[in-house]
Amino acid sequence: MALAVRVPAELSARVPAEQRGPGRGRDDVRLLVSRGAAVSHHSFGELPALLRAGDVLVVNTSTTLAAAVDGRLGPEPGGEPVVVHFSTRGDDGRWAVELRAPEPTGSTRPRGGGPAGAVVRLPGGARLVLAEPLVPGGGRLWWARVGVDVDVPGLLERYGRPIRYGYTDRDQPLSAYRTVFARPSPDGSGSAEMPSAGRPFTARLVAELGGRGVRIAPLCLHTGVASAEAHEPPYPERFEVPAATAALVNAARAGGGRVVAVGTTVVRALESAATGSGRAGAGGGGPVRAARGWTDLVVTPARGVRVVDGLLTGLHEPEASHLLMLEAVAGRPALRSAYAAAVRERYLWHEFGDLHLLLPEEGSHPAHC
């Protein structure tokens, strides 16, 4: 869906919250709360009081990679300067990548992918060879091979930087893009872009949530490169829902607690595990099971949600495909009311911006009870 609101450019969060003034921290952001069409305004530090004992917050533990690397496209010497965004590692060792054109400001702009067989020279002597579009007929993301002796996570760690878009003021250290929940993967995998709904959490806030009887349940979904300009639906992504998390979620559902996803990535993983498959349209709606693999599930109002009662997420562009998921969780009237209020009250957008908590209406009960 597209929302009939216009987000002024000045409402883009250009730096992390902790850089907006002395004494500020990650959790110094605002929190817009939707319960049906009713909207209220809070600070993020009030989150524990907005939840209740027996609720389960499900979080994404994927760590953010320094996924942007400078390169040169074409034969030596010279060649076209490009920025390679490493998105997702395939099971066959290839990587889905996006080529971007560098801007003098340090950000990038869209650039068509390809052609097949093109060679991108990377730092340290590595070479990347474009093979084919990730989606037949598509042009933004391409499958590419890097030399068999090249350790891509190591290359990113040495030469990469976090992916940055033009609405931000400057480059930020990788630590600014990693959440308190982030855990390294044994094989060096991670997310091309930060699972940003978890960013404002601090160890103190997590402890306060636990003290109020709110359980924290981890899962992992490695996010690929977002379509910041095209607003495409997400591509297949690798995920894992541990058995302990499945048990916590099922216990909450059985006991009348609410399952609140921290981020759209968590919704995608949980709903995939509940269907028993990561394949779109798999059907079902039984208990959540331990699951791992790839999901191509796109959550829409027509499909609905079968596990998640609430969602904590950032504010998305009015044309973003993620809004279909939000509509599936809360309904279109709630979304329209919330976004009109967010613009009116000058909330901040994007990964360093303010948060939106969508909860069931007061007096309603989770659909799974």
Side-chain angles (χ1 to χ4, degrees):
M1 66 173 293
L3 292 175
V5 298
R6 186 184 69 83
V7 181
E10 64 267 21
L11 296 187
S12 294
R14 302 190 181 282
V15 295
E18 59 271 26
Q19 296 179 18
R20 293 182 202 139
R24 293 182 62 116
R26 280 184 172 227
D27 55 352
D28 284 320
V29 295
R30 300 167 72 190
L31 180 63
L32 177 70
V33 178
S34 295
R35 294 184 179 89
V39 172
S40 58
H41 306 282
H42 305 266
S43 68
F44 189 75
E46 295 176 71
L47 178 64
L50 295 165
L51 301 175
R52 58 190 184 218
D55 289 345
V56 174
L57 273 180
V58 187
V59 303
N60 189 353
T61 62
S62 179
T63 192
T64 309
L65 302 175
V69 179
D70 293 326
R72 289 271 179 175
L73 179 65
E76 298 183 71
E80 176 193 352
V82 294
V83 178
V84 181
H85 287 177
F86 282 82
S87 179
T88 306
R89 177 161 50 188
D91 291 335
D92 61 359
R94 297 189 299 177
W95 281 79
V97 301
E98 179 187 24
L99 300 189
R100 307 270 298 186
E103 292 275 35
T105 58
S107 62
T108 61
R109 66 180 184 275
R111 175 201 178 281
V119 177
V120 180
R121 289 173 279 123
L122 301 173
R127 291 174 181 266
L128 179 148
V129 181
L130 299 177
E132 60 187 350
L134 184 65
V135 175
R140 190 174 67 88
L141 287 175
W142 282 65
W143 284 116
R145 289 197 178 276
V146 187
V148 293
D149 58 340
V150 176
D151 169 31
V152 172
L155 183 145
L156 299 182
E157 185 176 351
R158 183 171 182 183
Y159 299 109
R161 60 187 180 277
I163 288 175
R164 175 190 159 199
Y165 291 111
Y167 50 76
T168 56
D169 276 353
R170 55 185 176 271
D171 286 345
Q172 296 289 341
L174 187 56
S175 59
Y177 290 88
R178 287 181 169 168
T179 73
V180 70
F181 305 115
R183 298 292 180 268
S185 295
D187 65 355
S189 296
S191 289
E193 298 186 4
M194 170 178 54
S196 55
R199 188 182 192 280
F201 284 86
T202 62
R204 179 196 58 79
L205 189 66
V206 171
E208 186 177 345
L209 286 162
R212 287 177 173 264
V214 177
R215 305 294 297 272
I216 306 289
L219 58 74
C220 185
L221 184 143
H222 296 313
T223 65
V225 173
S227 55
E229 298 86 13
H231 303 301
E232 302 160 345
Y235 290 108
E237 294 168 318
R238 193 188 302 274
F239 80 105
E240 180 175 4
V241 177
T245 290
L248 272 176
V249 168
N250 292 332
R253 298 171 74 199
R258 298 173 298 184
V259 178
V260 179
V262 179
T264 58
T265 61
V266 169
V267 177
R268 198 179 197 204
L270 274 182
E271 294 289 324
S272 296
T275 63
S277 168
R279 308 302 299 174
V288 176
R289 294 182 173 85
R292 64 185 303 174
W294 292 84
T295 177
D296 64 358
L297 181 65
V298 178
V299 178
T300 65
R303 179 199 181 273
V305 289
R306 299 160 188 177
V307 178
V308 172
D309 303 302
L311 171 61
L312 178 68
T313 185
L315 292 164
H316 304 278
E317 292 288 350
E319 303 86 7
S321 60
H322 283 312
L323 292 179
L324 291 172
M325 180 186 291
L326 273 62
E327 184 182 349
V329 173
R332 184 171 297 187
L335 212 52
R336 285 175 172 164
S337 176
Y339 272 64
V343 172
R344 185 173 61 248
E345 299 298 326
R346 303 190 66 77
Y347 279 70
L348 296 180
W349 258 252
H350 301 305
E351 68 265 33
F352 297 136
D354 296 317
L355 274 289
H356 183 197
L357 177 62
L358 300 95
L359 290 174
E361 294 184 64
E362 293 288 354
S364 67
H365 298 281
H368 48 68
C369 290

